[in-house]
């Protein structure tokens, strides 16, 4: 279901920063892990970063480790993705999603192996990094 609202995308140059934000209804936000996913035309969807329901666990794709930071604000029911040092390969449509993961698999392993289910998502926001 498209029930989340993303914002913050845009056209930037190599090395610039962007901060993506995602707003979710309280009932959705409080019951799910949240993640950011990206997909460029011709490529498969990639989990970029995710944070567990409690906020205790997080996941980052190897390509963004050290550059991106995911955080959730439980008071505002929002999740954000701070993206620093943007590179051309970061160009994609970024989607926020409320996801469910298997209870018997470690959080990071579940994300790494695609063991998650989209329950709610947003319309996406375009990030374009120009050289």
């Amino acid at each position: 279901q498209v029930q989340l609202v993303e914002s913050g995308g845009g056209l930037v140059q190599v090395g610039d920063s962007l901060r993506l934000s995602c707003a979710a209804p309280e009932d959705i936000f409080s019951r799910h892990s949240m993640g950011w996913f990206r997909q460029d035309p011709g490529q498969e969807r990639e989990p970029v970063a995710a944070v567990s329901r409690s906020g205790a666990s997080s996941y980052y794709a190897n390509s963004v480790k050290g550059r991106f930071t995911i955080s959730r604000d439980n008071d505002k029911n929002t999740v954000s993705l701070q993206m620093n040092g943007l590179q051309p390969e970061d160009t994609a449509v970024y989607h926020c999603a409320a996801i469910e993961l298997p209870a018997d698999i470690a959080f990071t392993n579940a994300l790494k192996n695609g063991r998650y289910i989209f329950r709610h998502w947003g319309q996406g926001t375009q990030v374009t990094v120009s050289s």
Side-chain angles (χ1 to χ4, degrees):
Q1 293 181 299
V2 182
Q3 295 180 287
L4 312 184
V5 181
E6 305 107 328
S7 63
L11 173 63
V12 298
Q13 294 183 314
V14 171
D16 284 353
S17 297
L18 282 174
R19 186 175 181 86
L20 307 183
S21 296
C22 171
E26 182 182 12
D27 60 335
I28 293 176
F29 188 85
S30 64
R31 298 171 183 172
H32 297 86
S33 296
M34 302 294 294
W36 287 94
F37 302 77
R38 68 187 182 189
Q39 185 170 24
D40 208 27
Q43 300 180 1
E44 60 186 59
R45 185 178 64 200
E46 173 191 27
V48 178
V51 60
S52 64
R53 185 188 302 180
S54 68
S57 300
S58 61
Y59 164 85
Y60 294 96
N62 288 335
S63 61
V64 307
K65 286 182 178 178
R67 297 190 297 120
F68 291 8
T69 302
I70 189 170
S71 61
R72 62 188 297 158
D73 188 330
N74 293 333
D75 293 329
K76 298 181 179 179
N77 299 316
T78 59
V79 60
S80 64
L81 183 68
Q82 179 66 44
M83 306 186 295
N84 298 328
L86 286 164
Q87 302 297 313
E89 55 265 34
D90 295 318
T91 295
V93 175
Y94 285 70
H95 292 266
C96 176
I99 58 176
E100 291 186 4
L101 301 96
D104 58 345
I105 302 177
F107 188 83
T108 56
N109 288 338
L111 268 297
K112 183 182 299 183
N113 292 290
R115 301 282 80 83
Y116 55 87
I117 300 174
F118 274 38
R119 293 302 187 191
H120 308 275
W121 55 90
Q123 78 286 352
T125 184
Q126 177 71 47
V127 172
T128 302
V129 185
S130 175
S131 60

